């Protein structure tokens, strides 16, 4: 009986109330000295609207809180359907000084794309085009 209770509290793989950000966008990231640059690009204009309204600098700063960014600044690039974040002081000294596994911030976009978000009502209009 205890096993059934424990299993029912675990998130279901079929749970569609949340999705990974990567369902509606892709990204790239890298270093700028001791700072990381993270670009998130929507697949569609509807996805870009969602990014502008929901993926704020504060939300990204909270997501990367374990890396202790001193600040996060968001830049909008509507011609690319993208938002770009500069995460200050997250690389522990930068590529040649840091002892972190990812000294250049190359995995930060992939990490952000794993962030769970509430599934938007117009989710299907945000998916990567297949043709």
């Amino acid at each position: 009986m205890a096993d059934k209770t424990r299993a029912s509290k675990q998130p279901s793989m079929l749970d569609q109330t949340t999705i990974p950000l990567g369902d509606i966008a892709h990204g790239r990231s890298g270093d700028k000295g001791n700072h990381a640059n993270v670009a998130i690009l929507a697949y569609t204009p509807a996805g870009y609207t969602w990014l502008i309204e929901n993926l704020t600098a504060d939300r990204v700063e909270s997501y990367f809180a374990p890396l202790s960014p001193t600040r996060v600044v968001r830049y909008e690039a509507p011609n690319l359907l993208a938002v770009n974040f500069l995460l200050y002081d997250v690389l522990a000294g930068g590529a040649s000084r840091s002892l972190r596994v990812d000294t250049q911030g190359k995995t930060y976009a992939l990490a952000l794309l794993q962030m769970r978000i509430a599934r938007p009502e117009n989710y299907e209009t945000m998916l990567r085009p297949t043709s």
Side-chain angles (χ1 to χ4, degrees):
M1 189 73 147
D3 289 338
K4 286 184 182 181
T5 303
R6 188 177 334 135
S8 67
K9 291 182 181 180
Q10 295 177 359
S12 168
M13 294 300 285
L14 301 176
D15 176 19
Q16 295 296 311
T17 60
T18 65
I19 60 164
L21 177 59
D23 277 10
I24 64 169
H26 58 108
R28 288 187 55 104
S29 57
D31 66 310
K32 300 293 178 216
N34 189 38
H35 316 306
N37 186 53
V38 180
I40 302 297
L41 301 89
Y43 292 123
T44 67
Y48 178 69
T49 299
W50 187 95
L51 292 177
I52 293 300
E53 294 173 358
N54 297 281
L55 196 60
T56 63
D58 288 340
R59 190 164 184 189
V60 171
E61 186 170 2
S62 294
Y63 189 76
F64 285 106
L67 299 177
S68 303
T70 56
R71 69 182 168 132
V72 174
V73 177
R74 182 178 85 169
Y75 300 92
E76 298 173 6
N79 59 324
L80 300 174
L81 303 179
V83 288
N84 190 65
F85 297 92
L86 190 54
L87 287 69
Y88 284 84
D89 304 308
V90 294
L91 295 177
S96 62
R97 295 178 49 196
S98 180
L99 296 178
R100 292 196 173 156
V101 173
D102 181 3
T103 61
Q104 296 179 320
K106 298 291 185 186
T107 62
Y108 289 12
L110 293 175
L112 187 55
L113 291 170
Q114 294 302 310
M115 180 173 71
R116 302 296 296 184
I117 61 171
R119 182 180 175 170
E121 288 185 25
N122 58 340
Y123 171 70
E124 288 78 17
T125 66
M126 298 180 186
L127 298 175
R128 183 178 189 171
T130 57
S131 57

